[in-house]
Amino acid sequence: LELSFYTRVFSVAVVKTLENMKIHANIKWPNDVYINGRKLAGVLSEGIFEGAKPLAVVVGVGMNVNNEIPAELKTRAISLKEITGKEISVVKLIESILKNARVIFRKYSKKKEALTRIWKRYLLQKEGDIISLEGKKGKIVKINPDSLLIDFDGEIKKVYSLSPH
């Protein structure tokens, strides 16, 4: 069960929904949706198992829609209401995200690498970028859906977003 596939499906679905609203967004690896350097949403996928047998996948999308962003988070978070200047119908927003997710899932469930290419286009981080991790600077060598390969002065380390399953 490749949970990162479902995370990519919904991350891209959220970005496509925003595009339909004339809002440009990016994905911060691996699952956060950002607008102008401020976080709008996060996507998390979880598997439900019976022993080792996968039964279901639950995908959660947390998004700042009509809520007021607390003053201490204003530089780091944003809401759709703040961007558009008006109340957003949560039902219509959910319907649009689900519609986009269904289309993406159908189109790419047999071509996961094609979805990964689309997801990478929306990523804020690119291969070759220098990032700081735990106080050390490194260069992103490769972006995988569930991990980054980072070169720390000749030492390549694989960094996972969550658990590697």
Side-chain angles (χ1 to χ4, degrees):
L1 185 67
E2 192 189 343
L3 292 176
S4 66
F5 171 71
Y6 296 92
T7 301
R8 289 192 310 283
V9 166
F10 275 85
S11 297
V12 172
V14 167
V15 170
K16 295 267 189 204
T17 298
L18 294 168
E19 279 181 351
N20 294 341
M21 298 168 72
K22 307 286 185 257
I23 299 168
H24 175 71
N26 287 96
I27 299 166
K28 183 177 177 200
W29 181 87
N31 60 339
D32 289 334
V33 178
Y34 272 69
I35 294 172
N36 298 328
R38 293 161 73 191
K39 186 174 176 177
L40 176 76
V43 179
L44 197 57
S45 300
E46 198 173 299
I48 297 173
F49 295 86
E50 190 176 89
K53 183 180 158 205
L55 297 179
V57 174
V58 177
V59 180
V61 177
M63 184 183 297
N64 296 316
V65 182
N66 295 315
N67 53 310
E68 191 64 40
I69 304 295
E72 66 273 13
L73 297 177
K74 280 243 184 242
T75 60
R76 294 178 299 170
I78 197 165
S79 72
L80 279 180
K81 185 178 179 181
E82 185 181 335
I83 295 161
T84 63
K86 57 185 188 263
E87 286 274 321
I88 301 293
S89 163
V90 175
V91 171
K92 285 183 181 162
L93 182 64
I94 292 169
E95 285 173 348
S96 181
I97 292 169
L98 288 172
K99 181 180 168 215
N100 282 317
R102 268 194 303 276
V103 169
I104 292 164
F105 182 83
R106 280 195 202 109
K107 192 170 180 179
Y108 297 107
S109 59
K110 300 274 189 270
K111 299 183 285 190
K112 292 180 179 158
E113 65 289 334
L115 176 60
T116 299
R117 282 194 298 274
I118 291 165
W119 170 79
K120 277 181 160 185
R121 271 188 237 136
Y122 289 118
L123 282 180
L124 288 167
Q125 301 88 344
K126 304 293 182 203
E127 290 169 358
D129 284 1
I130 303 296
I131 61 166
S132 186
L133 188 69
E134 296 172 352
K136 293 195 292 188
K137 289 203 181 301
K139 184 180 190 176
I140 300 174
V141 178
K142 179 133 178 65
I143 297 173
N144 298 310
D146 65 342
S147 65
L148 295 176
L149 290 181
I150 304 173
D151 182 345
F152 294 102
D153 290 326
E155 186 186 353
I156 307 283
K157 288 202 172 171
K158 193 173 209 176
V159 178
Y160 289 96
S161 60
L162 296 165
S163 59
H165 13 39

